[in-house]
Amino acid sequence: MAFGVSDELLGTFVPIMVYWIYSGIYVMLGDMNDYRLHTKAEEDTKNVVSKRTVVKGVLVQQAFQIAVSLILFTFVSESSGGAIRPQPAFWVTVLQFVVAMVVMDTWQYFMHRLMHVNKFLYKHVHSKHHTLVVPYAFGALYNHPLEGLILDTIGGAISFLISGMTPRTAIFFFSFATVKTVDDHCGLWLPGNLLHILFNNNSAYHDIHHQLYGTKYNFSQPFFVAWDKILGTYMPYSLEKRKGGGFEARPIKKAH
């Protein structure tokens, strides 16, 4: 299998490396009890799947991700006659980045919401992800393979194609999306975390969705909260300090 440049391979494998490196940093930080959104006891009792099983599940999804990425990049390379695509002007690259973010958010919102609305899809596909009631970093991509293929892999391919970004830009875009996804599932609220400051869609926002009372809300991922607000599935919350350390994201009842 020939590739015009190594950017195609980097765009396939770098985000996977980023996933394990970034989630590994959270593992090395330890329990971080003063910043947890749930206690360690909650994690041990509410999560019904072992961490070994989670690791295996993520590796399976990433295998599918690699296969689809290689097929996509091969198609793009052959469509361009094998010519190396030059990088556009910086402002064009930024615009492509933003377009890809909006496209990915749109795709994932509607596919994610569908997997909750459709009882068959939830029971047989999406419920696997929700076995982690208390999310943690390296469980971010613990999904049924079909969900991983539809939401993440196909969603990423559509974002890449519609935005028109080059494979080189894709390296940075998919790596950033990976960091964002891991961070949203880290289960911590860390003061000074720029992703928590710059994005309303963050670890506390997504934690609401993982709780029983929030499964019909906060579908948006991984960047913005726009679709939740537009379509009435936005659940506001307050972040309160928990006695004994840590934080708790508490839903704010919506006025009717």
Side-chain angles (χ1 to χ4, degrees), residues 102-150:
V102 172
V103 171
M104 180 174 283
D105 256 37
T106 301
W107 175 266
Q108 292 212 1
Y109 174 85
F110 287 101
M111 292 299 102
H112 185 193
R113 186 172 180 178
L114 175 64
M115 290 194 176
H116 278 269
V117 173
N118 186 292
K119 293 181 179 180
F120 179 86
L121 287 176
Y122 185 82
K123 180 179 179 179
H124 297 284
V125 179
H126 189 54
S127 61
K128 181 173 183 178
H129 183 68
H130 279 272
T131 57
L132 295 181
V133 177
V134 179
Y136 49 80
F138 65 85
L141 291 183
Y142 179 65
N143 301 310
H144 187 284
L146 180 61
E147 176 180 351
L149 178 65
I150 294 173

Side-chain angles (χ1 to χ4, degrees), residues 69-96:
S69 295
L70 293 177
I71 293 171
L72 172 66
F73 285 132
T74 300
F75 169 78
V76 171
S77 178
E78 291 179 352
S79 297
S80 61
I84 299 175
R85 294 173 60 192
Q87 279 295 112
F90 177 74
W91 70 268
V92 175
T93 300
V94 172
L95 179 61
Q96 290 172 337

